[in-house]
Amino acid sequence: MSVLRDFLLTLQDRLQDMIDGLCLLCLGGFMVALARSGWYWYFLNPKFSPLTLGAGALLCVVGLALMLRPKPGAATSGRLLRQAVLLAFLSLAATAWDQATALPDFGALNPAAYQQEIDALAQEPAAPQAPVDLHPLKDGNTYTRLNLPELYIMVDKGRTDYPAHFAMRVLVVRTPELTARGHVLLRRTAVVCCLADSLELGFLARGKDGIFDGVQSGQWVEVFGRLEPLPDQELAKKNSREPAGAGGSATGNATDSKAADKSDKDLVQAAPTGQGPSISLTNPKFRVQVESVERIQPPGFPYVFEFREKEPFAW
Amino acid sequence: MDQSAFPVFAAIVASIVLEAAPFLLLGSLLSAILAVYVGDGALERLGRRHLSAQIGLGLVAGLILPTCECGVVPVTRRLLKKGVPPGAAIPFMLAAPVVNPVSLASTWVAFQGDWHMVLWRAALVVLPAAALGWALGNLKSAELLRPSLDMAHEAGCGCGCGSAHEHRRPGLAQGVLDVLRHTGREFLDMGLFLMLGACAAGLFKVFLPQEWLGLVSGNLWLAVPAMMLLAVLISICSEADAFVAASLSMFPRPALLAFLALGPMLDLKLLPAYLSVFRRSNALVLITLPALAVYVLAMSLGLLGVLK
């Protein structure tokens, strides 16, 4: 009887270490499971999954060390608080994971593209992805495939050497106001490390009448087109407040600028911001003049995790 | 919080913690190795050097060691406990997340090889870090740190046995076990503040109206403090923040620089960590002085036309 009592007293004395170990084991297990799952992209750039996997495995080892070789220690309020916060975090993370699984399974929708992007992200950063054709020929024009954040970054830096004709895979966003004004918003979400640093980058786009007919908001398309300055940009250029040059399609002399549809000037403000966690930015200087649209399967990930500023682009 | 906002909040909190956890674990591991294998006071001879040499040493250590802000506080705490003088430890803690090669390279890439942004970013961090090293460098570690974190294992020896005796250097198996136990406890101690900070950042990210970015971006007097506030609230890792800053090109460069300099020294992950590790008066200095210095320096650069 006294042996049992001694055992229980010892267990009680070392219980806090064991609970600490269990908490770490749960967190480590969660990280390992997430890194091995198809939903890692929802939280972090997939190139970090080996890091998460390794850290999760180490946390499991650390947790086991505390559980199997506990030391005596009192149950202070500080210890109880950190255990409670960690368990609350795990509940929160599990909720987020559950939410992610409710989204369309991009891996299942387009497994080849998903695997291709996983493989590409696992390689050295400089390794080119291998799309079907980086320079498709369409209606007599040669287009360069790139992703929207790549184009946005180049334009944003004032570079003029972006492709004159390009093709991009984008999500189409439509609102009644934009539709009434003959535009749609083309959007991709760029993620550098994790969801907290994500940016929803967008370009307004227009094309010949009816080019976006039948394309619903939220659909994935590949657009073939070129950039043209928004009216504000043309006026700004006229006033010499901006360096000349960005984009080969600028047409404007002063008369053209004045003739530009003044109602287009607040188009950027009309562009909707996203409902998600990202900061939404719509390019204030340029829009895409769309020459052709093709509906496509969703890409491997809805987010863009890789950006290059020269060919071959990450597409 | 409405129903649609909660999953977004949960995803942001999870992503911040999951991103930081490996680095916090690495910091905890380094701290545990120091605790178990480096004798108490072994690094005290650094304290005999002149204060300026201590500051220089701390800054150089930050330049060499790829440490991000998620793991730097536990390492600094352990260094202080092992006898590293505050004159070296504080500059290291503040500067290391920015002046390390990984962070500088990411800034260079994000700003398309613009060395001005890289060098000014480093300068805006090194100056307050050195100033704080100077201001707090004459304190003893015991005057700088809180006596206890009121967690699990602060009493006594490095192995966490709870006693106040000095240990011999342990054998390999015992040493590994001690390091693992110590890593776990350190991770849990600091992880608490990481998770609380991530929750606060998640709330701000979900509820911060984006329109204000556009409203303040055209005015230097508003843009600099606004970007400093954004850096604190959204708590992005110092190795990724340059890409976010580069995308916010509607802001003047001094404001972007303030964002890049302040975030790694003060954000919602670091704030509770400072308050729990350092005595309150010292923590307040660590919170206010870098913010003030970054504001003054960034505004000066903007008003003098050094950066536009």
Side-chain angles (χ1 to χ4, degrees):
Chain A
M1 204 53 193
S2 70
V3 174
L4 181 63
R5 195 181 62 193
D6 286 350
F7 172 75
L8 288 175
L9 282 174
T10 305
L11 187 68
Q12 189 182 16
D13 203 26
R14 300 180 177 210
L15 189 62
Q16 286 304 311
D17 246 13
M18 295 170 81
I19 295 174
D20 279 355
L22 187 63
C23 288
L24 291 173
L25 196 61
C26 290
L27 179 62
F30 179 87
M31 289 167 69
V32 168
L34 183 67
R36 302 282 301 158
S37 78
W39 306 104
Y40 187 84
W41 61 264
Y42 186 71
F43 300 93
L44 291 150
N45 188 326
K47 73 180 176 189
F48 294 129
S49 65
L51 189 66
T52 306
L53 184 65
L58 182 56
L59 274 176
C60 289
V61 173
V62 166
L64 282 173
L66 280 169
M67 281 180 75
L68 300 178
R69 300 294 294 273
K71 294 271 184 185
T76 64
S77 56
R79 285 188 96 164
L80 296 174
L81 174 67
R82 67 184 191 174
Q83 289 161 359
V85 168
L86 196 142
L87 292 176
F89 165 73
L90 283 172
S91 308
L92 210 60
T95 304
W97 191 346
D98 186 50
Q99 174 72 14
T101 58
L103 292 173
D105 185 346
F106 284 78
L109 283 172
N110 197 347
Y114 182 82
Q115 195 55 48
Q116 187 185 41
E117 295 201 24
I118 287 277
D119 292 345
L121 285 164
Q123 290 169 10
E124 290 298 309
Q129 225 169 298
V132 180
D133 180 3
L134 285 174
H135 297 284
L137 187 66
K138 205 171 180 64
D139 302 327
N141 288 323
T142 302
Y143 293 86
T144 300
R145 282 191 158 121
L146 78 174
N147 67 47
L148 189 146
E150 289 173 332
L151 181 65
Y152 195 106
I153 290 166
M154 282 192 283
V155 168
D156 207 38
K157 289 179 175 174
R159 284 179 44 181
T160 57
D161 57 343
Y162 55 81
H165 293 268
F166 50 80
M168 308 187 289
R169 295 179 294 178
V170 293
L171 191 72
V172 173
V173 179
R174 305 194 77 152
T175 64
E177 184 180 357
L178 285 179
T179 302
R181 298 166 76 167
H183 284 75
V184 299
L185 182 66
L186 309 179
R187 179 180 279 167
R188 285 303 295 266
T189 301
V191 175
V192 181
C193 286
C194 76
L195 196 61
D197 65 44
S198 61
L199 294 166
E200 281 182 351
L201 302 176
F203 280 100
L204 291 163
R206 67 177 184 180
K208 61 179 185 281
D209 283 348
I211 197 164
F212 283 102
D213 283 357
V215 178
Q216 305 296 316
S217 195
Q219 269 190 335
W220 286 90
V221 297
E222 182 168 23
V223 295
F224 299 78
R226 56 188 166 81
L227 281 185
E228 65 176 17
L230 280 164
D232 280 347
Q233 170 70 359
E234 291 187 31
L235 291 171
K237 281 170 68 179
K238 190 196 87 175
N239 293 332
S240 302
R241 282 180 295 166
E242 292 285 331
S249 61
T251 54
N253 55 34
T255 312
D256 289 338
S257 299
K258 282 177 186 171
D261 184 359
K262 288 184 180 176
S263 67
D264 279 355
K265 283 186 194 170
D266 59 350
L267 262 175
V268 175
Q269 281 73 46
T273 55
Q275 300 301 309
S278 315
I279 293 174
S280 290
L281 299 171
T282 300
N283 194 283
K285 295 181 178 176
F286 292 91
R287 67 182 156 207
V288 177
Q289 180 65 33
V290 178
E291 289 156 350
S292 177
V293 179
E294 289 178 7
R295 285 186 225 184
I296 57 166
Q297 289 282 319
F301 306 116
Y303 301 154
V304 176
F305 295 105
E306 193 178 0
F307 330 102
R308 301 181 196 148
E309 296 184 42
K310 59 183 180 185
E311 294 198 57
F313 293 106
W315 190 51
Chain B
M1 191 181 296
D2 66 33
Q3 270 191 322
S4 63
F6 184 74
V8 174
F9 166 76
I12 291 174
V13 173
S15 69
I16 291 175
V17 173
L18 292 171
E19 182 194 26
F23 300 100
L24 182 61
L25 186 60
L26 191 65
S28 303
L29 183 63
L30 190 57
S31 167
I33 291 168
L34 284 170
V36 174
Y37 286 108
V38 177
D40 289 340
L43 301 170
E44 276 175 1
R45 64 177 178 274
L46 291 173
R48 292 183 215 125
R49 292 172 185 253
H50 191 265
L51 185 56
S52 55
Q54 293 174 17
I55 293 169
L57 201 68
L59 294 174
V60 169
L63 192 68
I64 297 166
L65 296 171
T67 318
C68 88
E69 73 270 23
C70 308
V72 79
V73 176
V75 174
T76 305
R77 182 167 66 129
R78 185 59 55 195
L79 287 172
L80 286 164
K81 281 181 174 290
K82 290 294 176 187
V84 173
I90 296 296
F92 167 77
M93 181 181 76
L94 294 172
V98 166
V99 300
N100 72 73
V102 178
S103 183
L104 291 180
S106 73
T107 309
W108 185 78
V109 171
F111 285 91
Q112 208 189 5
D114 184 348
W115 281 107
H116 289 102
M117 285 302 283
V118 179
L119 295 175
W120 279 119
R121 182 182 191 190
L124 258 65
V125 169
V126 164
L127 285 174
L132 271 165
W134 198 269
L136 301 176
N138 289 321
L139 296 178
K140 293 189 171 70
S141 296
E143 296 169 320
L144 191 65
L145 295 171
R146 286 183 67 175
S148 160
L149 205 53
D150 190 28
M151 292 294 175
H153 64 297
E154 284 305 305
C157 64
C159 74
C161 68
S163 62
H165 58 99
E166 183 78 18
H167 278 257
R168 284 188 205 150
R169 184 166 292 190
L172 180 66
Q174 186 59 43
V176 169
L177 195 60
D178 286 349
V179 165
L180 288 175
R181 272 201 294 256
H182 216 294
T183 302
R185 291 168 176 149
E186 189 86 52
F187 181 87
L188 282 170
D189 282 355
M190 302 313 296
L192 169 70
F193 307 115
L194 169 66
M195 288 165 200
L196 293 177
C199 285
L203 282 173
F204 281 111
K205 195 99 166 80
V206 170
F207 292 111
L208 205 64
Q210 291 188 22
E211 294 73 21
W212 72 272
L213 285 176
L215 294 176
V216 301
S217 62
N219 182 326
L220 185 69
W221 291 95
L222 294 176
V224 169
M227 288 303 282
M228 289 171 64
L229 187 64
L230 190 68
V232 173
L233 296 184
I234 64 175
S235 307
I236 306 176
C237 176
S238 63
E239 278 143 31
D241 57 1
F243 295 94
V244 174
S247 305
L248 298 171
S249 60
M250 67 282 227
F251 279 86
R253 290 259 163 146
L256 299 180
L257 204 56
F259 174 86
L260 292 173
L262 186 62
M265 292 194 284
L266 182 65
D267 66 20
L268 289 179
K269 302 193 300 278
L270 289 168
L271 232 152
Y274 287 162
L275 287 167
S276 63
V277 168
F278 297 100
R279 287 180 189 273
R280 184 173 294 271
S281 58
N282 299 322
L284 290 176
V285 173
L286 284 168
I287 290 165
T288 52
L289 195 71
L292 197 64
V294 167
Y295 177 74
V296 170
L297 291 170
M299 285 302 298
S300 303
L301 291 175
L303 293 173
L304 295 173
V306 179
L307 274 178
K308 290 182 181 172

